[in-house]
Amino acid sequence: MKRTTTKLADGRELIYFDRDGGAVRDAVDRRLLEPVDSRPELRLDLATGDWVTIASHRQGRVHHPPTDACPLCPSWDGNHSEIPAADYDVAVFENRFPSLAGRVGRCEVVCFTPEHGASFADLTEDRARLVLDAWTDRTENLSSLPGVEQVYCFENRGAEIGVTLAHPHGQVYAFPFVPPRTAKMVAVADTHRRVTGGNLFEDLLAEARAAVSRVVLAGEHWTAFVPYAARWPYEVHLYPHRRVPDLTRLTEAERAEFPGIYLELLRRFDRLFHREDGAPATPTPYISAWHQAPKTGGQELALHLELFTVRRSAGKLKFLAGVESGMDSFVNDVAPEAAARRLREVAS
């Protein structure tokens, strides 16, 4: 992998990741851009103890632009995008409309491919591995920044999720605090250690592998399974068999096996739903989220990926209404064992 760092016209960082060690990345951003003026503010919700980010500047971000004006496509005559090069493998840049910035963290955009109409599932294993290398690079670099507590790599896919740019991409957030979901995991994992003497995530993986009915895919180094108490209609957790805190600690063998298993999971998600006439439904919307240990109090946590969709059938979505949004109490319409069985049935 070759890594090339450059600057955009407003001073934001842009990083190219290439499979070809001879790739030259000297294209100049010729846009006339005003400096980024983002002043997100962190406020503590005294009723819950959770941090809330106020980022009103994001109201002006790009929203569903036409294909020929996509800011994540390579630049070409007439369209100068966020990526000055005429082509790229994987590109990462600082978000122009960040939720977190400066002293309160950092947000980056990860462009998986120059192909506007593609998806992560369309990538080759080599390209998916390059994305994994980019995630690992950003985890290592952002974790070293002063004040950063946790690095979160994720992808939102589909208009149903709220995606405003159709080009296949993900994001990386460098949180200056431990997010609520991670804080809850830390507390539960610490209690599990005190009560049982074991690690919660090692035990969850062992229990899932023993409960064959919830295993979707298994390799030498990774297992994908539906959790016992899944919140979402179709939710899969992907764990390495060896507990590590974050992406930087994976071995070469673990990195080599990941792309094949992950791509197969994404392709199965896209085969889950069909319309009444038998034709495939629109591409399955999903969120793919890497959970990594934070700097503070994360000794018991384990790296894992959570992949889930808000779609519960071809024409129905799982909305977070009064019970879920108001009380953080989930109700799942699909039994985890049935979801796992369906995901096994749609194997290619």
Side-chain angles (χ1 to χ4, degrees):
M1 178 191 76
K2 181 179 181 182
R3 180 184 189 278
T4 306
T5 301
T6 184
K7 294 286 186 181
L8 294 173
D10 55 10
R12 287 175 296 135
E13 188 174 38
L14 166 65
I15 308 168
Y16 293 101
F17 294 88
D18 289 285
R19 293 167 296 176
D20 178 6
V24 176
R25 298 300 182 188
D26 57 2
V28 176
D29 184 2
R30 302 189 182 283
R31 297 172 297 171
L32 299 176
L33 297 177
E34 294 293 328
V36 174
D37 184 21
S38 57
R39 300 187 182 96
E41 179 186 354
L42 292 182
R43 297 187 181 183
L44 183 64
D45 181 347
L46 297 178
T48 65
D50 296 342
W51 287 102
V52 176
T53 304
I54 308 299
S56 57
H57 62 280
R58 284 174 53 79
Q59 287 279 39
R61 67 188 186 274
V62 178
H63 187 82
H64 294 301
T67 301
D68 60 0
C70 174
L72 308 185
C73 285
S75 291
W76 50 278
D77 291 342
N79 179 42
H80 297 292
S81 74
E82 292 279 55
I83 304 168
D87 195 13
Y88 64 86
D89 281 352
V90 174
V92 179
F93 60 86
E94 289 182 75
N95 198 325
R96 185 165 173 79
F97 300 95
S99 300
L100 304 167
R103 289 176 294 174
V104 290
R106 174 162 159 147
C107 292
E108 298 181 342
V109 177
V110 183
C111 297
F112 304 140
T113 170
E115 301 297 329
H116 182 83
S119 68
F120 200 117
D122 295 323
L123 300 183
T124 63
E125 289 193 19
D126 282 348
R127 183 66 64 85
R129 167 61 191 267
L130 188 61
V131 175
L132 175 62
D133 290 341
W135 285 331
T136 304
D137 176 277
R138 303 321 300 146
T139 295
E140 181 175 19
N141 279 268
L142 296 177
S143 294
S144 69
L145 295 179
V148 169
E149 279 290 335
Q150 184 178 30
V151 177
Y152 175 47
C153 307
F154 65 100
E155 180 192 2
N156 297 327
R157 194 265 194 121
E160 299 91 336
I161 299 295
V163 174
T164 59
L165 295 175
H167 194 105
H169 71 287
Q171 300 179 65
V172 182
Y173 274 33
F175 286 107
F177 55 86
V178 178
R181 184 165 169 80
T182 301
K184 184 180 291 187
M185 288 183 181
V186 168
V188 173
D190 287 348
T191 298
H192 186 85
R193 173 66 76 180
R194 288 197 305 272
V195 172
T196 71
N199 176 264
L200 171 64
F201 296 93
E202 290 176 348
D203 290 348
L204 286 174
L205 176 60
E207 184 272 337
R209 283 168 60 82
V212 178
S213 63
R214 291 189 287 105
V215 172
V216 178
L217 285 170
E220 182 181 355
H221 302 288
W222 298 82
T223 291
F225 62 93
V226 177
Y228 175 73
R231 298 180 172 201
W232 300 94
Y234 291 90
E235 176 180 345
V236 175
H237 293 190
L238 181 58
Y239 277 56
H241 295 168
R242 186 179 60 91
R243 180 165 63 97
V244 295
D246 57 43
L247 290 165
T248 69
R249 305 292 286 275
L250 292 174
T251 65
E252 175 55 33
E254 291 161 343
R255 296 178 192 281
E257 186 180 74
F258 170 80
I261 287 183
Y262 184 52
L263 289 171
E264 177 61 20
L265 278 178
L266 294 181
R267 291 163 186 166
R268 291 190 188 195
F269 262 58
D270 272 344
R271 292 193 293 267
L272 276 173
F273 304 105
H274 288 79
R275 304 189 315 239
E276 291 184 2
D277 60 6
T282 55
T284 301
Y286 65 74
I287 292 174
S288 178
W290 280 111
H291 289 267
Q292 307 193 83
K295 288 181 182 176
T296 302
Q299 294 84 356
E300 291 294 321
L301 267 65
L303 170 73
H304 65 282
L305 183 142
E306 298 184 7
L307 173 68
F308 58 89
T309 178
V310 297
R311 183 176 286 170
R312 54 192 176 97
S313 68
K316 297 178 181 178
L317 299 179
K318 170 65 176 177
F319 291 103
L320 299 189
V323 173
E324 289 90 354
S325 294
M327 293 301 291
D328 284 345
S329 181
F330 272 70
V331 178
N332 191 350
D333 304 295
V334 180
E337 293 76 13
R341 181 170 62 251
R342 177 63 180 151
L343 284 161
R344 291 193 300 270
E345 291 172 350
V346 295
S348 55

